[in-house]
Amino acid sequence: AQLGGDQALRALAGTPKALLPVAGQPMLDHWWGYLSSNRAISEIFVVSNAIQYKHFERWATARQLPVNRVVNTGATAAGRGRGVLR
């Protein structure tokens, strides 16, 4: 018997790895919290390809973070970016 595992996995399909849930929140939340509390780091940017950009833009907006901290490289396929997609 399936316990809804397939449904949960389907809901995550297409989600960037950095936004997959870990301990109930996107992995990027953990990273962002740690990095932003470090006084030696003055600026943090999330760099994304064009394919995943909207996911990260929504993530930043939901957390009231400046969207200009999410950078779109414009890459839409492997080999067309600057090393973002492999």
Side-chain angles (χ1 to χ4, degrees):
Q2 292 182 355
L3 302 174
D6 286 346
Q7 231 175 0
L9 288 176
R10 272 188 234 124
L12 295 174
T15 302
K17 291 175 188 169
L19 296 179
L20 290 174
V22 174
Q25 58 183 315
M27 190 180 332
L28 189 52
D29 284 357
H30 297 283
W31 295 341
W32 193 273
Y34 175 76
L35 292 172
S36 30
S37 68
N38 187 331
R39 291 182 178 186
I41 299 171
S42 60
E43 292 185 304
I44 305 168
F45 293 88
V46 175
V47 179
S48 172
N49 59 49
I51 299 165
Q52 303 289 345
Y53 176 74
K54 283 291 182 190
H55 292 280
F56 291 106
E57 183 182 50
R58 284 191 292 266
W59 172 83
T61 301
R63 282 145 189 82
Q64 298 178 347
L65 298 171
V67 178
N68 67 352
R69 297 293 183 191
V70 180
V71 179
N72 182 349
T73 65
T76 58
R80 295 196 180 176
R82 295 184 178 100
V84 176
L85 293 174
R86 301 243 182 241

